[in-house]
Amino acid sequence: MLVVEIKNIHGRLEFDQHTHQCTRTRVDGTVEGFPNALTQTERHMGFLKNLITSYSLPVEGAVVIANPSTIIVNSTSTLPIFHASGLHKYLQSLFKKHPKKLMDNQLTQLVHLLLSKQIIPQIHTSIAPSRFRHGVLCPKCTYQNNMYFHRGIWKCSFCHYRSIEIFTEAMLDYRLLISHSITNKQLRAFFRINSNDAATRLLRKFQFPYTGTYKNRVYHLPENLLEHMKNFF
């Protein structure tokens, strides 16, 4: 396993192994301090080594500088630091250093183990929904003006921008700020849609899972809302 810490810092970089700090010197001579990427990489490597002890898998690490104009002043004895252009060569050296370690079924198990450790943060707000700006906001007007829904498309009466896909952004805002579910009535109220039939067609178009009968139907907005909605454009 290769842990790569990528930094896009320009200027002249120096890494101090004793103070665990990285200093950047700008062109004008200004000196700034940053957390040491070596320490970050070693911490991530240690976490993975403890996590995959049963796999006997080697864990390597490197700090990669993404900005080609950056000057790396000193190399270290702990982990390699190099520009992104050297990553391919470094990978080739690791392939020679470590022959194939895992069978396909072991690799699959390891992938599931790593994914199980991923925690997706949940956003909770204590702000009353009445304080949010309702509706689909026009991106061309820097979200200052509302768009209206007419015959399957969203239009801005101020700049005349038209879009179908803009509704996905607005629905994501609703899911994050208001609720993970929505009814026809709530859709019309929040997005300022006058027609009950138009709201129904809009909800059916995206095939959201739902519970309840026709009159009290509740549509549930999936976690991967953006990807789900993009499939229907």
Side-chain angles (χ1 to χ4, degrees):
M1 296 189 72
L2 174 61
V3 178
V4 180
E5 185 69 35
I6 302 174
K7 296 297 182 185
N8 187 27
I9 306 174
H10 64 86
R12 181 185 177 93
L13 297 184
E14 295 185 60
F15 297 88
D16 193 314
Q17 298 182 63
H18 301 290
T19 62
H20 301 284
Q21 187 179 49
C22 169
T23 56
R24 184 261 297 277
T25 305
R26 294 178 177 269
V27 178
D28 61 4
T30 304
V31 180
E32 299 173 299
F34 292 89
N36 197 322
L38 296 170
T39 306
Q40 290 179 283
T41 308
E42 290 170 346
R43 183 170 64 250
H44 297 158
M45 291 172 63
F47 170 79
L48 284 174
K49 286 178 181 178
N50 291 330
L51 184 65
I52 63 171
T53 51
S54 60
Y55 289 90
S56 301
L57 192 66
V59 178
E60 301 275 2
V63 176
V64 177
I65 306 300
N67 195 315
S69 67
T70 303
I71 299 174
I72 305 172
V73 176
N74 57 329
S75 59
T76 67
S77 58
T78 54
L79 293 175
I81 304 174
F82 49 81
H83 280 279
S85 58
L87 182 58
H88 177 75
K89 184 177 181 180
Y90 182 64
L91 284 170
Q92 296 304 316
S93 69
L94 290 181
F95 292 145
K96 293 179 180 180
K97 180 180 177 181
H98 303 291
K100 185 177 181 180
K101 293 288 183 179
L102 296 182
M103 303 296 289
D104 288 345
N105 64 324
Q106 292 178 305
L107 182 59
T108 301
Q109 292 173 1
L110 179 57
V111 169
H112 288 311
L113 173 63
L114 294 176
L115 289 176
S116 70
K117 300 300 180 181
Q118 181 183 19
I119 301 175
I120 300 176
Q122 299 295 321
I123 300 176
H124 301 283
T125 70
S126 57
I127 305 174
S130 60
R131 296 179 59 189
F132 298 134
R133 290 186 61 195
H134 291 197
V136 176
L137 306 179
C138 179
K140 297 297 182 180
C141 298
T142 61
Y143 302 99
Q144 297 301 310
N145 298 300
N146 285 85
M147 304 179 73
Y148 65 94
F149 187 67
H150 181 67
R151 294 187 178 180
I153 195 168
W154 294 91
K155 302 177 182 179
C156 176
S157 56
F158 184 81
C159 72
H160 306 296
Y161 173 68
R162 299 155 58 94
S163 175
I164 300 176
E165 294 84 355
I166 192 65
F167 184 56
T168 60
E169 295 182 20
M171 282 295 284
L172 180 61
D173 290 341
Y174 178 92
R175 187 183 188 278
L176 292 174
L177 297 173
I178 307 295
S179 174
H180 292 184
S181 62
I182 193 169
T183 64
N184 183 298
K185 182 179 179 180
Q186 290 169 333
L187 181 80
R188 286 183 282 121
F190 189 85
F191 295 103
R192 301 179 178 180
I193 299 175
N194 297 323
S195 170
N196 179 74
D197 291 338
T200 299
R201 288 194 296 270
L202 201 55
L203 288 167
R204 288 178 175 175
K205 172 182 179 179
F206 296 104
Q207 299 181 17
F208 296 129
Y210 61 85
T211 54
T213 58
Y214 181 78
K215 289 185 178 181
N216 61 352
R217 183 167 295 178
V218 177
Y219 296 85
H220 304 282
L221 308 178
E223 189 172 297
N224 62 333
L225 182 63
L226 289 181
E227 291 78 7
H228 176 88
M229 293 182 70
K230 287 178 180 178
N231 292 328
F232 298 94
F233 285 114

